[in-house]
Amino acid sequence: LDIENWEVTDLLTIFAATANMPTGSGVLNGNMSISGSTEAAMQIIGNLSVQNIKLQGGPLKSDTPSLGRMEVEVDAEKTASAFTLKRHAFTSTVAVGTANGVFGAQNKREITGQVVIELAQVFSQFPGTLKLKPGIKVSSGELNLKGKIATTEETTFFDGSVQLDRLQGVAGKT
């Protein structure tokens, strides 16, 4: 499936009508490929890019973020016994992240992921959603999240970390 210059306004409007989702606009480009068979194995590989993303409404309250560009990469495989997410990656002006995992192999499930969130972007794009007091400005900072969750029939294991780097800003009058 190849997608070229598809305006996503109508799709976002449909989502917003069925759930508490924002409406907005953006231009989608990319390709998705599904090959193989359900009997042996199916490969799912794709890249999607949305440009000029503008959102409003729904959970965003009065915020109208303009996110520029977002890219998503997927590489996965479905066999008779498991779904394997070999690589899922996303990049945007707000966050960069990756994930991989295995689901289903004899009730074993495991997912590992990480994300780096650019706090200056989040605070400037979503002040109403975050209920920020007037005068609060974050000029830099990153929130690094890493985690792993693994389950069997009887046990769930988890390991994670959160790190806040270089948080700078001001509260009050400048």
Side-chain angles (χ1 to χ4, degrees):
L1 172 65
D2 288 324
I3 302 168
E4 285 190 36
N5 298 321
W6 183 37
E7 176 55 58
V8 297
T9 301
D10 292 338
L11 183 63
L12 291 174
T13 301
I14 291 168
F15 287 154
T18 60
N20 187 24
M21 302 272 296
T23 58
S25 62
V27 179
L28 178 65
N29 288 285
N31 60 67
M32 293 294 288
S33 169
I34 301 174
S35 60
S37 71
T38 56
E39 293 174 4
M42 289 179 39
Q43 301 290 323
I44 304 164
I45 298 173
N47 295 292
L48 298 172
S49 173
V50 184
Q51 300 161 355
N52 303 319
I53 304 167
K54 296 179 182 174
L55 302 171
Q56 75 258 345
L60 298 178
K61 303 184 187 334
S62 62
D63 295 335
T64 56
S66 181
L67 304 177
R69 182 181 184 112
M70 181 174 173
E71 297 179 11
V72 177
E73 175 188 334
V74 175
D75 183 358
E77 179 180 59
K78 169 70 173 103
T79 63
S81 64
F83 176 80
T84 302
L85 182 59
K86 296 177 184 177
R87 178 171 167 77
H88 171 70
F90 67 91
T91 303
S92 75
T93 55
V94 175
V96 175
T98 61
N100 58 60
V102 177
F103 307 90
Q106 300 162 336
N107 287 331
K108 182 179 178 185
R109 296 174 193 92
E110 180 176 308
I111 189 162
T112 301
Q114 65 182 43
V115 64
V116 177
I117 302 169
E118 296 294 333
L119 294 176
Q121 284 289 324
V122 171
F123 278 70
S124 69
Q125 297 275 1
F126 302 95
T129 304
L130 296 172
K131 298 180 182 177
L132 296 180
K133 293 180 181 179
I136 294 180
K137 302 250 189 273
V138 172
S139 56
S140 69
E142 290 182 346
L143 186 61
N144 298 292
L145 306 166
K146 293 181 183 180
K148 178 179 181 177
I149 299 174
T151 65
T152 64
E153 281 187 32
E154 301 170 356
T155 310
T156 298
F157 302 93
F158 54 90
D159 182 21
S161 67
V162 177
Q163 182 178 348
L164 179 61
D165 287 336
R166 301 172 320 181
L167 181 63
Q168 293 180 330
V170 65
K173 297 180 182 182
T174 56

